[in-house]
Amino acid sequence: MKTAPLTESAAPGTDDAPLLEVRDLSVCYRTGRAASWRRTDTPVVDRVSFDVRPGETLGLVGESGSGKSTIGRTILRLVDPVSGTITFDGREVTAFGRSTPLSYRRDVQAVFQDPASSLNPRHIVRDAITGPLRRHGRGSRKEREEAAAEAFHMVGLNPALLTRYPMELSGGQRQRVAIARAIALKPRLVICDEAVSALDVSTQSQIVNLLADLQESTGVSFLFITHDLRLVRHISQRVAVLQHGRLVEFADTEQLFRTTRQPYTRRLLAAIPATDPEGREHRRARRAAHRKAPNTT
């Protein structure tokens, strides 16, 4: 794959040292049968570069299959890159080898799309929070239970729910538990991989507002991975747009929504559902014009 050049507005300047730097990252998945001569390497991410500043939310946007979740998993050390570097707070993550320091596991947390799959159905939800605290040597049992109650309070859950099982909670409550587990270790970066896409619209809004409040109170950074530009505009300061594993645009959020010159980004913007019935015919005509426009990416 050839890397599409960024627009002139693709690298906004900053005086702050980035917390996370991704440079020329490429990732391949091996497909095919077990025999080596039948296996092929399928490129998924192609020389992607971006950074996340302290206390910032960066939106990583793209359609299904664009490679955005693979980038998140690579940062989390769940997938090995083919080339490129990932640097966190001045340390090169790609140089860790097979052993990832506990300090990195503590500082970089994740919230995934389906909280039910990341919560043990046989354990009460308190264990989902106290377990990582115990693994990282945080406090006594009583102190860990107090920290779990504090984390529940921060995400707007009644501490009485700590003794419930995941199946006894709603989808929105389970996602709040997942966020509480992520922030209990006081991380510096949280990767939210389609963290609200499985929720209804009203619950999505509550979770996004919760993340914004947590960022304001703790200074945590977010890498917000999603296909929904509507949510990105609400929560992100900058946006990186992926298409077929390539970074095609990287800009300040309002600048991207106001003056994007990338046909692919314009098509994503045109696909945002409108809640206002007024001007429906105009929007349909605009989407038709976008579909007919030549793709130069």
Side-chain angles (χ1 to χ4, degrees):
M1 288 187 293
K2 295 181 179 179
T3 304
L6 299 179
T7 62
E8 292 180 1
S9 61
T14 175
D15 295 330
D16 298 328
L19 177 65
L20 176 76
E21 290 184 275
V22 176
R23 292 290 174 261
D24 296 322
L25 183 69
S26 294
V27 182
C28 293
Y29 285 147
R30 179 156 290 185
T31 58
R33 296 179 180 270
S36 59
W37 60 274
R38 284 190 162 184
R39 286 183 292 187
T40 58
D41 290 334
T42 303
V44 180
V45 177
D46 184 30
R47 290 174 288 176
V48 168
S49 299
F50 62 85
D51 61 80
V52 181
R53 304 166 184 166
E56 175 190 40
T57 298
L58 175 70
L60 187 59
V61 181
E63 60 190 350
S64 179
S66 62
K68 57 188 186 297
S69 291
T70 297
I71 292 174
R73 289 171 61 83
T74 306
I75 296 169
L76 289 166
R77 303 276 293 156
L78 301 176
V79 175
D80 292 327
V82 172
S83 61
T85 60
I86 300 171
T87 305
F88 180 80
D89 194 24
R91 296 185 298 170
E92 188 175 337
V93 177
T94 44
F96 287 159
R98 292 183 178 273
S99 179
T100 302
L102 272 180
S103 59
Y104 183 74
R105 296 293 190 197
R106 179 193 65 228
D107 287 341
V108 181
Q109 293 288 307
V111 178
F112 295 106
Q113 178 176 354
D114 182 13
S117 65
S118 61
L119 296 173
N120 192 326
R122 297 184 178 184
H123 291 179
I124 59 175
V125 293
R126 180 175 59 201
D127 295 342
I129 301 176
T130 58
L133 291 172
R134 183 176 63 253
R135 176 70 178 88
H136 288 270
R138 294 292 186 88
S140 64
R141 179 176 178 177
K142 181 180 179 181
E143 289 170 336
R144 291 193 294 268
E145 291 179 352
E146 291 174 350
E150 180 185 356
F152 258 45
H153 177 73
M154 291 180 70
V155 300
L157 287 176
N158 189 330
L161 297 177
L162 282 165
T163 56
R164 299 284 183 89
Y165 289 89
M167 63 179 297
E168 299 179 280
L169 304 179
S170 67
Q173 287 174 326
R174 286 195 293 264
Q175 196 61 292
R176 287 174 184 263
V177 172
I179 295 171
R181 176 176 56 188
I183 65 171
L185 286 168
K186 296 180 171 52
R188 302 177 64 189
L189 173 68
V190 176
I191 297 176
C192 299
D193 189 0
E194 297 284 8
V196 299
S197 63
L199 306 175
D200 61 75
V201 174
S202 62
T203 308
Q204 282 185 354
S205 178
Q206 293 172 12
I207 297 297
V208 167
N209 289 335
L210 168 63
L211 295 175
D213 291 342
L214 289 173
Q215 185 173 65
E216 184 176 352
S217 62
T218 66
V220 65
S221 299
F222 291 111
L223 178 60
F224 194 79
I225 300 172
T226 183
H227 63 278
D228 192 338
L229 276 170
R230 174 181 56 87
L231 292 174
V232 163
R233 187 172 194 176
H234 182 73
I235 195 173
S236 302
Q237 287 79 52
R238 292 187 296 164
V239 182
V241 181
L242 286 175
Q243 181 185 22
H244 303 316
R246 298 171 296 169
L247 187 67
V248 296
E249 191 154 14
F250 185 24
D252 293 334
T253 302
E254 289 306 316
Q255 179 182 351
L256 180 138
F257 274 80
R258 186 173 59 250
T259 62
T260 180
R261 290 174 289 175
Q262 288 290 337
Y264 175 70
T265 307
R266 290 203 299 269
R267 290 197 297 272
L268 291 178
L269 292 172
I272 298 176
T275 56
D276 184 3
E278 297 296 329
R280 181 178 300 162
E281 295 303 321
H282 173 71
R283 289 193 295 273
R284 287 177 177 171
R286 186 179 61 184
R287 286 196 293 268
H290 284 314
R291 286 194 295 269
K292 293 178 181 178
N295 188 350
T296 60
T297 59

